Amino acid sequence: MVKMMSKFPIIVCDDDKDLANQLAKNINASIQDLTDDNESYTELDESVTFVANDFAQAVGYVVANDIKNCIYFLDIELSRESKAKNGVDLAEFIKKNDENAQIIFVTAYDKYAPLTYRRRIGAIDYISKSMSSDKIIQRIEETLRNAFDNLSSRIKFGQRDF
């Protein structure tokens, strides 16, 4: 059992403002559930730090605040324009700046999953927006537990990816 106490920023990026805000609410509710239901996480004091609606907003915030050890919930399609930077581009940028970043893709389009693997981003989960609200919240909770554990052990023991 690992006692969690570190502060890990959580960033959401989705081009649909309403969906981004709903996701942030679901993440905060999931964290509350985690702290209420599990002794290992009673010290968690996390909540969504920033909600961005495009690539530039997210990058600007990450750079300006030198964000490290962060959990990211990213939509893959961040614009209707094909030339625009997408969530996979954002994830690549994030990983270059924060090797411990925990990336979770939240998307309506399952067709993008292979792209995330080809570009070797190392996302820890892939959540479909088409799932029911209850399923999404359950999945967020499982994913957050995984992300908090990953970050805590990386910080405690140093990075040990093979």
Side-chain angles (χ1 to χ4, degrees), residues 11-122:
I11 294 175
V12 172
C13 187
D14 193 313
D15 60 324
D16 182 316
K17 285 184 170 79
D18 293 334
L19 285 176
N21 291 329
Q22 185 58 51
L23 180 57
K25 281 184 189 147
N26 288 345
I27 291 166
N28 289 335
S30 296
I31 292 168
Q32 189 60 54
D33 288 347
L34 259 181
T35 58
D36 290 347
D37 301 341
N38 192 321
E39 264 183 46
S40 318
Y41 300 96
T42 54
E43 301 292 321
L44 271 182
D45 187 27
E46 267 61 22
S47 62
V48 174
T49 313
F50 186 70
V51 177
N53 298 118
D54 62 36
F55 179 91
Q57 271 186 333
V59 167
Y61 182 83
V62 167
V63 170
N65 295 284
D66 191 28
I67 300 295
K68 299 284 186 243
N69 301 315
C70 185
I71 300 169
Y72 295 87
F73 287 83
L74 308 177
D75 185 16
I76 290 181
E77 195 169 39
L78 292 176
S79 172
R80 301 269 174 257
E81 297 171 35
S82 59
K83 298 246 185 290
K85 298 272 191 188
N86 62 30
V88 180
D89 298 320
L90 180 55
E92 268 184 340
F93 171 83
I94 288 165
K95 277 295 202 178
K96 285 180 184 141
N97 288 285
D98 177 6
E99 62 187 13
N100 289 337
Q102 303 293 297
I103 294 171
I104 299 101
F105 286 112
V106 183
T107 187
Y109 305 102
D110 295 335
K111 67 183 180 189
Y112 291 121
L115 177 65
T116 66
Y117 297 114
R118 266 200 310 278
R119 301 220 348 224
R120 293 194 168 96
I121 289 151

